[in-house]
Amino acid sequence: MAFDLLTMPNGLRVVGERIPHFRSVSVGLWIGTGSQHEQSGEAGLSHFLEHMVFKGTEKRSARQIAEEMDAVGGQLNAFTSKECTCFYAKTVDEHLDLAMDVVCDLATHPTFDPKELEKEKGVVLEEISMAEDTPEDLVHEILMLANYGDQPVARPILGTAEKISGYRRENLADYWKCMYRPQNAVLSIAGNYDWAQVQALLEAHLGAWAPEGLRAHGCDTQSVAPTCLAREKEIEQVHICLGFPGLSIGDPRNYELSLFNSVYGGAMSSRLFQKIREESGMAYTVYSYPNAYTDCGMLSVYAATNPDTAAQVYEQILEVTRAFAREGLTREEFNMAREQLKASFILGSESTSSRMQSNGRRMLLMNETRTESEVIDRVNAITFESANDLMRATLTAPHSLALVGKGAKALVKQMY
């Protein structure tokens, strides 16, 4: 299916995927800013700003923002990641004009009311506390530090309690002025829409969005020696996370990485799950997954277990990893994983919101589109040899390690 593509005079890129047999439409405004782009002293500003735009715009109060999409049965939300922020809405197609109006209004006309700012600080501080009290989330944050050291990609998206507590209205307004610019943004739309109507709405809501003032920014993550970090916590389990070198988001070998990860630890039939969960029964949860960023990537392995068996579970992870690298994928595993990869992509694409998100992220970070057929063709092009070669190169490289739990620091001496 061909995409509707447009670059507005102010630099805003637009990508549309029309799916006429749907009755829903999803629209998202993507901004190229996240924790990776925050300078010293700006920790958590991208995420805090995302919260604050929902507290009021020049023509809508916080209550009106909440009620307008609810009134037509639509959905409205936002998220912040390492490299982007997205404001999005999903509704039935007849309410596209309202969805476009609200989403564009949020990103381009926030007021940053000082009274609301002080109240929202409490919400974000609670979110930071919640992440600290969720060891599965915390151990992944610590793994980023163990793998990348003191670099922007390792910074927590939420920031720190100290920084959030000290921010004033001018901090958010200044950050918005230099990062929320049209040439640093993408509008993605997917579902049942009329392209002429979309173009008219774009001109009405974003045509006057000024391109001046964008701050130069980018990502420059350097390789560092992986290490081990541990955090003591009085909890019942020890949470274990390993990090192997991965691939950047634009690397074409990401398809091979996803394929062998499915066999390694990405599915119930995977080697890690079968060995540690099914055979030894030492962990309820064990899995692996790849993360890709603009200039770096990581393959992570996670498991949680009793402190008495933590060292043993870690050794079992290493045993599975060594055996996999030594023996390689079997033909049966390869064929099954390739079918799983295709099915996962197809099933994950069967909604307007998933298509909007996939297209918007790809256009924002890589300035390209990719059809479903192109993806399936690329998966079919993976060879048995290319998947095994990448798997061995990845799993024989030095890995980072993060531990969270009771006695975590003592365990480091046994495990790393």
Side-chain angles (χ1 to χ4, degrees), residues 106-355:
L106 286 173
T108 60
H109 297 98
T111 56
F112 304 125
D113 185 319
K115 292 181 180 178
E116 293 291 342
L117 185 145
E118 291 304 315
K119 289 191 291 184
E120 198 63 20
K121 280 182 182 180
V123 175
V124 177
L125 291 173
E126 286 299 319
E127 194 173 356
I128 292 172
S129 297
M130 185 170 66
E132 183 70 25
D133 289 343
T134 309
E136 184 171 352
D137 294 343
L138 181 60
V139 74
H140 286 92
E141 290 284 3
I142 294 172
L143 181 68
M144 293 293 288
L145 290 169
N147 202 68
Y148 295 111
D150 186 22
Q151 298 190 80
V153 71
R155 294 173 186 162
I157 294 168
L158 301 181
T160 65
E162 180 183 9
K163 286 292 185 183
I164 297 300
S165 298
Y167 287 139
R168 302 185 302 275
R169 183 190 183 279
E170 52 263 38
N171 299 122
L172 275 76
D174 289 346
Y175 192 78
W176 176 83
K177 287 176 183 177
C178 68
M179 300 303 286
Y180 277 57
R181 298 294 94 191
Q183 65 272 46
N184 190 37
V186 165
L187 187 132
S188 178
I189 181 169
N192 188 30
Y193 62 81
D194 177 78
W195 183 235
Q197 179 195 15
V198 170
Q199 290 177 286
L201 291 170
L202 285 167
E203 182 58 36
H205 299 304
L206 297 173
W209 194 8
E212 295 84 9
L214 178 65
R215 183 175 80 190
H217 65 284
C219 305
D220 184 26
T221 304
Q222 303 296 314
S223 297
V224 299
T227 188
C228 176
L229 295 175
R231 176 81 64 86
E232 291 287 336
K233 262 195 177 302
E234 287 297 314
I235 53 180
E236 294 301 316
Q237 289 187 308
V238 171
H239 296 257
I240 305 166
C241 229
L242 292 75
F244 294 92
L247 303 172
S248 64
I249 195 169
D251 195 310
R253 297 173 298 165
N254 272 300
Y255 293 97
E256 279 84 352
L257 177 57
S258 294
L259 187 148
F260 86 69
N261 175 67
S262 178
V263 178
Y264 179 50
M268 289 181 64
S269 60
S270 68
R271 296 191 180 202
L272 283 171
F273 190 92
Q274 288 298 311
K275 175 66 176 178
I276 297 170
R277 164 73 186 264
E278 297 299 293
E279 293 181 23
S280 72
M282 289 188 181
Y284 176 76
T285 304
V286 56
Y287 57 83
S288 65
Y289 67 97
N291 260 341
Y293 306 103
T294 299
D295 61 348
C296 62
M298 181 166 57
L299 176 67
S300 302
V301 181
Y302 168 82
T305 188
N306 187 285
D308 295 336
T309 57
Q312 192 173 349
V313 167
Y314 174 66
E315 185 55 38
Q316 286 186 343
I317 292 172
L318 295 183
E319 287 175 5
V320 171
T321 304
R322 295 185 193 112
F324 194 22
R326 182 176 62 251
E327 300 163 4
L329 289 151
T330 67
R331 286 284 181 180
E332 182 181 4
E333 288 174 328
F334 172 78
N335 291 332
M336 182 172 68
R338 190 161 60 177
E339 291 306 308
Q340 287 175 341
L341 190 55
K342 288 189 287 187
S344 176
F345 173 76
I346 292 170
L347 294 176
S349 300
E350 291 191 343
S351 75
T352 60
S353 55
S354 63
R355 297 305 302 152

Side-chain angles (χ1 to χ4, degrees), residues 53-70:
V53 301
F54 283 88
K55 309 313 290 185
T57 69
E58 293 174 7
K59 68 176 184 179
R60 288 180 171 90
S61 66
R63 188 175 185 88
Q64 287 174 316
I65 292 169
E67 289 179 344
E68 286 193 24
M69 288 303 297
D70 283 351

Side-chain angles (χ1 to χ4, degrees), residues 7-8 49 52 94 121 132 166 200 266 309 344 390 401 406:
T7 299
M8 296 181 67
L49 194 156
M52 278 303 301
E94 63 190 83
K121 280 182 182 180
E132 183 70 25
T309 57
S344 176
L390 182 62
L401 177 65
K406 191 184 300 181

